[in-house]
Amino acid sequence: MTDRHTRFGSMVGLVPLALLLSVPVIARSQQKTDIPPPASPATAITQVQVTGEVARPSTFSAEDLAKLPRQTVKAKAHDGAESQYEGVALVEILTKAGVPFGKDLRGKAMVLYVVAEASDGYRAVFALPELDPTYSDRMILLADHRDGKPLSAKEGPLQIVVPGEKKHARWVRQVIRLRVGRA
Ligand SMILES: Nc1nc2c(c(=O)[nH]1)N[C@H]1C(S)=C(S)[C@@H](COP(=O)(O)O)O[C@H]1N2
Ligand SMILES: [Mo]
């Protein structure tokens, strides 16, 4: 008992010494970059989730997007440069997930909307008729290529392209999710 107390006492005495000795170790581990950097957009996986008020919640990979009807549109980016964008019309992706368009986009479905969500938390809303060729001739695209090349890390891998829109606030970059909601 006494012996243990004595030993404990001497261990307590060692604590400040141990702390003192560990200072250079801590300093060294802070210099070392052994913590991996956060996933950069350059390595982001090409995929988009379709969630919310949909019959078939789905995830579309690059392969899935390549199999859907491909569209190209000419549009002026925020930097003022006219480019050829290539990708899949939002209506095609959403139709696959069971979102109503065409003859089904009427009545109670008229309160549905889609939120394009980005990896940085940025979001923008579209009403379904804006995307529907039976309502509008606009071609709102989920683009994966610009002028024949994959989108840059800043833009992509997936970006909404809204040709002809006078401001670019709905050209959501780094899209990760299309969430359908009911107003
Ligand atoms: N993911 C994401 N997309 C975004 C934004 C954003 O902050 N995050 N800003 C929007 C706004 S307000 C504009 S004007 C354009 C700006 O495009 P640029 O950054 O390519 O110039 O991107 C749009 N898309
Ligand atoms: Mo903007």
Side-chain angles (χ1 to χ4, degrees):
M1 197 67 171
T2 319
D3 192 35
R4 221 195 294 161
H5 272 139
T6 312
R7 214 184 300 145
F8 182 70
S10 63
M11 275 166 71
V12 169
L14 283 175
V15 168
L17 180 63
L19 280 176
L20 205 67
L21 289 172
S22 67
V23 166
V25 176
I26 292 165
R28 221 181 309 134
S29 72
Q30 279 172 344
Q31 281 166 15
K32 248 186 9 185
T33 54
D34 48 1
I35 299 158
S40 82
T43 58
I45 304 165
T46 306
Q47 64 170 32
V48 64
Q49 259 180 36
V50 184
T51 61
E53 301 272 334
V54 299
R56 293 179 292 279
S58 326
T59 300
F60 294 83
S61 65
E63 212 185 346
D64 298 326
L65 295 173
K67 278 188 234 151
L68 288 172
R70 308 283 301 174
Q71 306 288 342
T72 55
V73 297
K74 271 216 169 92
K76 217 178 220 175
H78 194 234
D79 61 15
E82 172 124 314
S83 285
Q84 177 131 312
Y85 286 92
E86 187 192 322
V88 180
L90 280 187
V91 65
E92 295 287 352
I93 298 164
L94 294 168
T95 297
K96 280 265 171 196
V99 177
F101 288 105
K103 64 176 174 27
D104 298 324
L105 185 47
R106 53 192 270 280
K108 285 184 178 168
M110 296 312 293
V111 294
L112 295 173
Y113 57 86
V114 57
V115 189
E117 301 185 353
S119 56
D120 63 352
Y122 191 79
R123 296 179 291 169
V125 168
F126 295 85
L128 296 191
E130 294 183 274
L131 315 175
D132 187 331
T134 71
Y135 279 84
S136 165
D137 288 329
R138 302 185 87 181
M139 172 55 69
I140 301 178
L141 209 63
L142 187 66
D144 48 24
H145 285 73
R146 179 179 181 179
D147 296 326
K149 292 183 288 255
L151 296 180
S152 70
K154 185 197 165 194
E155 297 163 316
L158 299 171
Q159 178 179 25
I160 306 276
V161 170
V162 196
E165 191 136 281
K166 290 201 274 181
K167 292 175 81 172
H168 289 76
R170 297 203 296 175
W171 285 49
V172 182
R173 295 183 262 99
Q174 300 169 16
V175 173
I176 55 167
R177 190 177 304 112
L178 304 170
R179 183 171 55 80
V180 177
R182 191 179 293 275

